[in-house]
Coordinates of all heavy atoms in Angstrom, one line a residue:
V278 N 134.0 25.6 99.4 CA 133.8 26.7 100.3 C 132.4 26.7 100.9 O 131.4 26.6 100.1 CB 134.2 28.0 99.6 CG1 133.9 29.2 100.6 CG2 135.6 28.0 99.1
L279 N 132.3 26.7 102.2 CA 131.0 26.6 102.8 C 131.1 27.4 104.1 O 132.0 27.3 104.9 CB 130.6 25.2 103.1 CG 129.3 24.9 103.7 CD1 128.2 25.2 102.7 CD2 129.2 23.4 104.1
E280 N 130.1 28.2 104.4 CA 130.0 29.0 105.7 C 130.0 28.1 106.9 O 129.4 27.0 106.8 CB 128.8 29.9 105.6 CG 128.7 30.9 106.7 CD 127.9 30.4 107.9 OE1 127.0 29.5 107.7 OE2 128.1 30.8 109.0
A281 N 130.6 28.5 108.0 CA 130.9 27.6 109.1 C 129.6 27.0 109.7 O 129.6 25.8 110.0 CB 131.7 28.3 110.2
A282 N 128.6 27.9 110.0 CA 127.4 27.3 110.6 C 126.7 26.4 109.7 O 126.2 25.3 110.1 CB 126.5 28.5 111.0
A283 N 126.7 26.6 108.4 CA 126.1 25.7 107.4 C 126.8 24.4 107.4 O 126.2 23.3 107.3 CB 126.0 26.3 106.0
H284 N 128.1 24.5 107.5 CA 129.0 23.2 107.5 C 128.6 22.4 108.8 O 128.4 21.2 108.7 CB 130.4 23.6 107.6 CG 131.3 22.5 108.0 ND1 131.5 22.1 109.4 CD2 132.0 21.6 107.3 CE1 132.3 21.1 109.4 NE2 132.6 20.7 108.2
D285 N 128.5 23.0 109.9 CA 128.2 22.3 111.1 C 126.8 21.6 111.1 O 126.6 20.5 111.6 CB 128.3 23.2 112.3 CG 129.8 23.5 112.6 OD1 130.7 23.1 111.9 OD2 130.1 24.2 113.6
R286 N 125.8 22.3 110.5 CA 124.5 21.7 110.3 C 124.6 20.5 109.4 O 124.0 19.4 109.6 CB 123.5 22.7 109.8 CG 123.1 23.8 110.8 CD 121.9 24.5 110.4 NE 122.2 25.3 109.1 CZ 122.7 26.5 109.1 NH1 123.0 27.1 110.2 NH2 122.9 27.1 107.9
L287 N 125.4 20.6 108.3 CA 125.5 19.5 107.4 C 126.1 18.3 108.0 O 125.6 17.2 107.8 CB 126.3 20.0 106.2 CG 126.6 19.0 105.1 CD1 125.4 18.6 104.4 CD2 127.6 19.6 104.1
V288 N 127.3 18.5 108.6 CA 128.0 17.3 109.2 C 127.3 16.7 110.4 O 127.6 15.6 110.7 CB 129.5 17.7 109.5 CG1 130.2 18.1 108.2 CG2 129.6 18.7 110.6
A289 N 126.4 17.5 111.0 CA 125.6 16.9 112.1 C 124.8 15.7 111.6 O 124.7 14.7 112.2 CB 124.7 17.9 112.7
W290 N 124.3 15.9 110.3 CA 123.6 14.8 109.7 C 124.4 13.7 109.1 O 124.2 12.5 109.2 CB 122.6 15.4 108.7 CG 121.5 16.1 109.3 CD1 121.4 17.4 109.6 CD2 120.2 15.6 109.7 NE1 120.2 17.7 110.1 CE2 119.5 16.6 110.2 CE3 119.7 14.3 109.6 CZ2 118.2 16.4 110.7 CZ3 118.4 14.1 110.1 CH2 117.7 15.1 110.7
T291 N 125.5 14.2 108.3 CA 126.2 13.2 107.5 C 127.3 12.5 108.2 O 127.8 11.5 107.8 CB 126.8 14.0 106.3 OG1 127.7 15.0 106.8 CG2 125.7 14.6 105.4
S292 N 127.8 13.1 109.4 CA 128.9 12.5 110.1 C 128.6 12.2 111.6 O 128.8 11.1 112.1 CB 130.1 13.4 109.9 OG 131.2 12.9 110.7
H293 N 128.1 13.2 112.2 CA 128.0 13.2 113.7 C 126.8 12.3 114.1 O 126.9 11.5 115.1 CB 127.8 14.6 114.3 CG 129.0 15.5 113.9 ND1 129.0 16.8 114.1 CD2 130.2 15.2 113.3 CE1 130.1 17.3 113.7 NE2 130.8 16.4 113.2
L294 N 125.7 12.3 113.4 CA 124.6 11.4 113.7 C 124.9 10.0 113.4 O 124.7 9.1 114.2 CB 123.3 11.8 112.9 CG 122.1 11.0 113.1 CD1 121.6 11.0 114.6 CD2 121.0 11.3 112.2
P295 N 125.6 9.6 112.3 CA 126.0 8.3 112.1 C 127.0 7.8 113.2 O 126.8 6.6 113.6 CB 126.7 8.3 110.7 CG 126.0 9.4 110.0 CD 125.8 10.4 111.0

Side-chain angles (χ1 to χ4, degrees):
V278 177
L279 185 65
E280 188 266 334
H284 166 276
D285 287 2
R286 288 192 297 273
L287 177 65
V288 297
W290 286 93
T291 60
S292 175
H293 304 170
L294 179 63

